[in-house]
Amino acid sequence: MKSLMAAFLTITCLLSTVNFGGGIVTDRPNGGIRQGLAMYCQPRDSIDVVMLGSSHVNYGINTYKMWEEYGISAYDYSSAEQAIWISYYYLREICKYQKPKVVVLDFFAPCAFLDNYADKYYYLNDALCGIRYSLNKVEMVETAVDGDENMKKKYLSSYYGADSEGDLATLKDGWSKDYSSFKGYTPSFKMAAVNTPSPNTTDVKAPSEKSQKYLRKIIDYTYKNGIELYITIVPYNLNVGQQEGVTQEEDLRYNWLENYLAEIKNEGIDNVYFDYTFKHIGDLGIDYEGGTHFADGSSHLNYYGATQFAKYLAQDLRSRYGEEKLPDHRGDEYYSSWDAGVEELKAEVAGEGWEWR
């Protein structure tokens, strides 16, 4: 902790002497910067469900549909290839401003990317630049680069991201729409057919020790703060190669997760649920081989697919946790930014010539 405090003070001093240009904060809808920045513009204590995870989340969970049909106020707080330790610090960050009742954690990244993943820092700047400077952010950077001093210097500029109201105002003006109406979802209007997944549900391999450590931190944090933790797998093309020479074994790590959660339940931790979606893929209503629900051949749902999965997810959340925990906020003026977001998405869908669903 002393070293983190020293880093915090050192970087504060550096930032006071460095003149950062306007290029640091940019509108990157799918890398995570926009999701990070817009979180600070959400009405205080209005988000009941926060989604954490990789780009599978911001492409694959249509938060506006969850609002339109169920009145659930949800937000996709994701970033590209979001490591689970980044998810942990994102969770701590959003809980400074919101009181989520449920955290939905997509477990793709810990199963797909191990410590030797060649591009593990490729999207790190996107994950960092949307987060305000604080001790939480310093700890996040320290954790992400495993204390490497050269890497910390490389990502120094990210400490500055989203730190001033002026930056937010500038980006809002350039974006030409109200920041508060953005709920993290970014639709894709492409189509591709992918193979229906056939997981190995028997063999087991563990994620990296670091991923295991931060999964437990998320579990402990949610349990301590009275938050339900709903772990899921947003539909995608299972076990597609991520780098040359590495065999993907994501299903084996989902099996590990299932076993691990059964063990911790014996400790009296009762706030965690895992929806192993690949075991009942037919229940989701997702079209794999017909090509209508996927945007590309590997990872991402398109608008139709994200809408279908959002309907399934919203129904399951409401059924599992009840309207007392996840109330229907439609008609409440305090939540009008969700109505505005729905109208903006409708215009975007129409502009692409797609059917509203």
Side-chain angles (χ1 to χ4, degrees), residues 302-321:
N302 63 21
Y303 163 70
Y304 291 154
T307 299
Q308 177 60 35
F309 185 65
K311 290 178 182 179
Y312 163 81
L313 179 61
Q315 183 177 27
D316 195 40
L317 290 173
R318 177 61 60 69
S319 174
R320 191 167 300 280
Y321 301 119

Side-chain angles (χ1 to χ4, degrees), residues 219-289:
I219 291 170
D220 290 344
Y221 185 94
T222 54
Y223 182 74
K224 178 182 177 181
N225 289 280
I227 302 170
E228 302 289 348
L229 178 58
Y230 182 106
I231 304 177
T232 190
I233 309 164
V234 177
Y236 70 99
N237 196 0
L238 182 66
N239 289 335
V240 171
Q242 300 291 337
Q243 70 181 77
E244 188 175 351
V246 176
T247 300
Q248 293 301 112
E249 297 173 307
E250 295 144 17
D251 44 359
L252 308 192
R253 296 185 180 95
Y254 295 131
N255 298 341
W256 172 89
L257 175 64
E258 191 172 45
N259 294 342
Y260 175 72
L261 295 180
E263 291 173 7
I264 68 165
K265 194 171 184 179
N266 294 329
E267 299 177 23
I269 296 175
D270 58 0
N271 70 312
V272 186
Y273 170 75
F274 175 38
D275 184 9
Y276 196 159
T277 55
F278 284 130
K279 281 191 171 184
H280 61 103
I281 200 73
D283 296 337
L284 311 184
I286 294 296
D287 173 28
Y288 273 81
E289 298 183 13

